[in-house]
Amino acid sequence: MQISELQINQVNRQIQALVKAGSFYGKKLEEAGIFRISSPEDFEKLPFSEKNDLREAYPLGLMTAPEEDIVRIHSSSGTTGLPVIIPYTAKDVEDWAVMFARCYEMAGITNMDRIQITPGYGLWTAGIGFQAGAEKLGAMVVPMGPGNTDKQLQMMMDMKSTVICATSSYALLLAEEIEKRGIKDKIHLKKGVIGSERWGEKMRQRIQKELGIELYDIYGLTEVYGPGIGINCPYETGMHYWDDYLYIEIIDPVTLKPVPDGELGEIVITTLVKEGAPLIRYRTHDLSRIIPGTCPCNSPFPRLDIIMGRTDDMMKIKGVNVFPSQIEEILKGFPEVSSEYQIRISHLDGRDTMRLYVETNGSVDFLDLARRITGTVKSRIGFTPLVKVVELGLLPRSEKKSKRVIDERYE
Ligand code: ZN
């Protein structure tokens, strides 16, 4: 998605505000001597911003609008070190609600729905974002917050909630409780809007099956408003995102150059109209790709694929960037192998080698299967792995993707 003329003008206004406020990014721009851009090439010369820059601005160094215009702050959970504090103006709060209401609309949710919100309220952006969007839509909100499953289910029945907003793990827990208590006929849920944590296809199918509802993935991050900047439509062909508020690029996380539409890379977000804390070329470290073409729903909004992992998972083999999710995609095309796999990378005789272990049952020709997988990896990713087929049950079981990759080059 090349940046448009309009978006370039919007970026220029964000640049002006950042320079004027003297924030970290304003200083970066001054150092780079950039005060204005006029083409997509210029845009690509703008420096990136990182979570660390945001942390170092603690507590209020990101504030770009005058104090009297700031109405709220949010904070991302600081698992390591300082949290990030994002100031919002009234317009930012309003814009976020508009985006979130669009998400509900994209999911076919209307002002006749009753939306039960289970993500937490408070410093972080979850609960309140879901709520503001639902109110903007005109739906009835049941603002539960997390936990207290008894009360949660009681309200769900009594209020006849039709939409549940939750993390995938909490949605699954509720689904299992409903099943256990035998109250499914008293539940009126039709749709679930699930927060942006990564979740597997198996979990999705279980929630869908147990609750019998349609599921929608919502994308977002505290640094850029919060959840609600994108969601999938009923065709499930990726998440539409709001390019009148955000410009999204996909870059190669090593060369930092933008990749063509359709190619996997890191999501980099530029806010276009944010006031409290604008961000230019913010590296999310989330992996995805822009889906080329038009969605069958005919929405004019471009699409991001589901989040396929983090850039930290990336491997470089024979000069080619490889992500575990790409290998997973390829293995999905082979129904005869299980969902388990292991990748071992080593450096032998001056060359990188990837050994890929997969499992199958005894009914197929191991050698032939290995040959076919090798060929597919070579044609789709561009290097030749050593594929080893083993008996079902031999590989270690792990929920975490990263555990499946063992890089012996640096051991
Ligand atoms: Zn669509």
Side-chain angles (χ1 to χ4, degrees):
M1 295 297 296
Q2 204 180 50
I3 190 162
S4 70
E5 192 82 36
L6 170 66
Q7 288 170 324
I8 286 175
N9 291 333
Q10 289 171 320
V11 170
N12 277 327
R13 280 197 285 276
Q14 300 268 280
I15 286 176
Q16 275 169 19
L18 285 160
V19 172
K20 193 171 158 219
S23 71
F24 83 91
Y25 198 86
K27 290 192 186 108
K28 272 194 191 193
L29 288 170
E30 277 184 26
E31 275 164 31
I34 304 175
F35 298 97
R36 201 193 139 67
I37 58 164
S38 53
S39 65
E41 295 71 37
D42 281 356
F43 178 81
E44 285 172 23
K45 287 182 198 135
L46 290 171
F48 291 100
S49 41
E50 289 268 11
K51 184 129 182 176
N52 242 347
D53 300 321
L54 276 48
R55 274 202 197 99
E56 282 168 13
Y58 185 87
L60 280 170
L62 295 178
M63 196 159 81
T64 303
E67 167 98 38
E68 61 266 32
D69 291 342
I70 302 297
V71 298
R72 191 199 282 175
I73 60 134
H74 281 292
S75 162
S76 68
S77 51
T79 42
T80 51
L82 294 169
V84 169
I85 304 286
I86 305 287
Y88 293 65
T89 64
K91 180 179 183 293
D92 294 337
V93 169
E94 168 72 11
D95 287 351
W96 183 21
V98 168
M99 284 190 274
F100 214 128
R102 266 192 209 163
C103 288
Y104 286 127
E105 279 168 343
M106 188 60 87
I109 295 165
T110 73
N111 59 4
M112 290 306 288
D113 276 295
R114 298 177 179 182
I115 304 181
Q116 185 156 339
I117 295 171
T118 74
Y121 288 77
L123 267 180
W124 66 320
T125 49
I128 200 164
F130 281 95
Q131 166 128 7
E135 287 176 353
K136 175 74 50 196
L137 182 72
M140 184 203 290
V141 174
V142 185
M144 298 299 295
N148 200 348
T149 303
D150 283 338
K151 185 93 185 259
Q152 201 80 250
L153 292 174
Q154 195 61 51
M155 292 300 269
M156 197 182 283
M157 291 188 285
D158 296 346
M159 295 299 121
K160 298 189 168 62
S161 304
T162 56
V163 176
I164 180 87
C165 301
T167 61
S168 55
S169 43
Y170 196 58
L172 183 62
L173 184 144
L174 287 174
E176 286 170 347
E177 274 307 307
I178 288 165
E179 167 80 21
K180 213 191 294 171
R181 298 178 190 204
I183 52 172
K184 202 168 168 197
D185 57 334
K186 296 195 182 78
I187 300 292
H188 296 79
L189 293 180
K190 291 189 299 233
K191 288 168 190 194
V193 179
I194 306 299
S196 63
E197 65 185 327
R198 281 167 61 196
W199 53 315
E201 191 52 35
K202 273 186 189 142
M203 194 160 179
R204 187 190 190 87
Q205 280 167 5
R206 269 181 73 198
I207 299 169
Q208 224 155 13
K209 191 171 137 272
E210 304 254 349
L211 287 177
I213 58 174
E214 287 168 28
L215 293 178
Y216 293 87
D217 291 301
I218 202 149
Y219 182 58
L221 51 162
T222 302
E223 298 89 321
V224 187
Y225 298 98
I229 63 174
I231 192 168
N232 59 288
C233 71
Y235 289 94
E236 290 188 11
T237 57
M239 300 181 289
H240 292 281
Y241 64 90
W242 317 129
D243 64 348
D244 45 352
Y245 290 90
L246 308 161
Y247 176 65
I248 291 187
E249 320 161 72
I250 304 291
I251 63 159
D252 179 319
V254 174
T255 66
L256 305 181
K257 293 274 173 255
V259 300
D261 288 356
E263 265 181 42
L264 194 62
E266 178 179 344
I267 302 175
V268 172
I269 304 180
T270 297
T271 63
L272 297 173
V273 291
K274 214 159 183 252
E275 295 178 338
L279 283 178
I280 308 274
R281 303 194 89 193
Y282 180 65
R283 294 187 60 185
T284 65
H285 292 277
D286 283 334
L287 285 177
S288 186
R289 62 192 186 101
I290 286 182
I291 300 177
T294 317
C295 181
C297 79
N298 279 320
S299 162
F301 290 108
R303 288 168 297 161
L304 270 179
D305 209 336
I306 51 161
I307 306 304
M308 293 188 229
R310 302 276 302 164
T311 51
D312 324 310
D313 301 338
M314 190 181 74
M315 311 165 268
K316 195 164 183 110
I317 299 161
K318 297 181 188 174
V320 180
N321 296 337
V322 188
F323 303 98
S325 45
Q326 287 175 293
I327 301 289
E328 228 162 88
E329 271 303 306
I330 288 174
L331 293 179
K332 268 192 211 148
F334 291 86
E336 54 274 62
V337 304
S338 79
S339 59
E340 300 302 321
Y341 64 92
Q342 195 177 73
I343 293 167
R344 283 182 174 268
I345 309 159
S346 48
H347 195 75
L348 284 175
D349 307 323
R351 291 172 55 191
D352 291 336
T353 319
M354 183 208 265
R355 278 168 293 154
L356 171 61
Y357 293 87
V358 298
E359 290 182 339
T360 187
N361 61 32
S363 67
V364 296
D365 181 340
F366 281 21
L367 273 178
D368 173 60
L369 178 61
R371 239 188 330 262
R372 283 185 291 131
I373 294 173
T374 306
T376 313
V377 173
K378 179 157 180 19
S379 70
R380 290 225 214 133
I381 307 182
F383 70 94
T384 309
L386 286 170
V387 178
K388 310 259 187 197
V389 181
V390 301
E391 282 283 348
L392 205 62
L394 277 184
L395 293 178
R397 262 56 186 159
S398 168
E399 286 292 311
K400 280 197 81 177
K401 251 178 206 176
S402 50
K403 290 254 169 71
R404 297 178 175 184
V405 181
I406 298 157
D407 197 334
E408 296 164 339
R409 288 177 298 186
Y410 309 110
E411 279 173 7

